[in-house]
Amino acid sequence: MTNPRSTASIAGHPIHPMLIPFPVAFFVATLVCDVVFWRNGNATVATSAMWLLGAGLVMAALAAVAGLTDVLGEERIRALNDAWWHAGGNILIVLIELYNWYARYSEGTAAIVPKGLVLSLIAVAGLLFTGWKGWEMVYRHRVGVADAAAGEAVSQTPRRAA
């Protein structure tokens, strides 16, 4: 049987895994900026965090569209519990970060400590869980992994560097 295929792909390469590093990096960088702001109160760092948070939300939306396309396009992906934990957790993270962005937009730097810092920490902790579930889908369930070419065996043992 073939591996579950990614519906949203370019030349056979799944789009969702290409996009997810961006919101993850932006949300983690937001947390770093929040910690720096907490320690030194620099307004430039607060502005950077606001832009990182906004960029993370935009990229998360793009990644969500690609991920949703994969889920809707492949019944075997929809049948995986890991897929629903991954998706549901990421929706929750985006809602937390959306509120985090709105609080900063409406309250300014007063929203960063402690509220924004705590929300960023919760979101990054959530990313650890949802990232784990995403990799479970790839490594255990082979979602979006290319099938071996005809007659080619897939080795389960890693190759040694020459």
Side-chain angles (χ1 to χ4, degrees), residues 34-108:
D34 288 351
V35 170
V36 170
F37 178 81
W38 172 46
R39 301 309 300 157
N40 72 14
N42 187 318
T44 303
V45 174
T47 301
S48 298
M50 180 82 164
W51 280 97
L52 286 164
L53 198 47
L57 289 166
V58 169
M59 293 306 294
L62 294 173
V65 168
L68 183 61
T69 302
D70 289 346
V71 168
L72 295 177
E74 173 65 73
E75 182 179 335
R76 291 179 293 169
I77 296 173
R78 285 192 306 273
L80 297 173
N81 281 335
D82 287 333
W84 295 107
W85 280 106
H86 177 73
N90 283 325
I91 289 168
L92 183 59
I93 290 165
V94 167
L95 290 173
I96 289 167
E97 293 292 50
L98 187 60
Y99 173 70
N100 197 357
W101 183 88
Y102 176 76
R104 293 162 193 254
Y105 179 77
S106 60
E107 301 169 32

Side-chain angles (χ1 to χ4, degrees), residues 2-160:
T2 62
N3 293 329
R5 297 194 185 265
S6 176
T7 307
S9 61
I10 299 171
H13 298 280
I15 295 172
H16 181 70
M18 291 182 213
L19 295 175
I20 56 173
F22 293 99
V24 171
F26 291 147
F27 292 159
V28 170
T30 299
L31 174 61
V32 170
C33 285
D34 288 351
V35 170
V36 170
F37 178 81
W38 172 46
R39 301 309 300 157
N40 72 14
N42 187 318
T44 303
V45 174
T47 301
S48 298
M50 180 82 164
W51 280 97
L52 286 164
L53 198 47
L57 289 166
V58 169
M59 293 306 294
L62 294 173
V65 168
L68 183 61
T69 302
D70 289 346
V71 168
L72 295 177
E74 173 65 73
E75 182 179 335
R76 291 179 293 169
I77 296 173
R78 285 192 306 273
L80 297 173
N81 281 335
D82 287 333
W84 295 107
W85 280 106
H86 177 73
N90 283 325
I91 289 168
L92 183 59
I93 290 165
V94 167
L95 290 173
I96 289 167
E97 293 292 50
L98 187 60
Y99 173 70
N100 197 357
W101 183 88
Y102 176 76
R104 293 162 193 254
Y105 179 77
S106 60
E107 301 169 32
T109 57
I112 298 175
V113 178
K115 181 176 15 181
L117 178 61
V118 170
L119 291 172
S120 292
L121 188 59
I122 291 168
V124 169
L127 287 172
L128 293 172
F129 173 77
T130 61
W132 181 280
K133 289 298 178 183
W135 283 112
E136 286 284 313
M137 292 186 325
V138 172
Y139 285 107
R140 293 206 191 280
H141 306 292
R142 315 273 306 154
V143 172
V145 176
D147 298 316
E152 181 182 325
V154 177
S155 172
Q156 294 299 320
T157 56
R159 294 183 185 177
R160 295 181 117 188

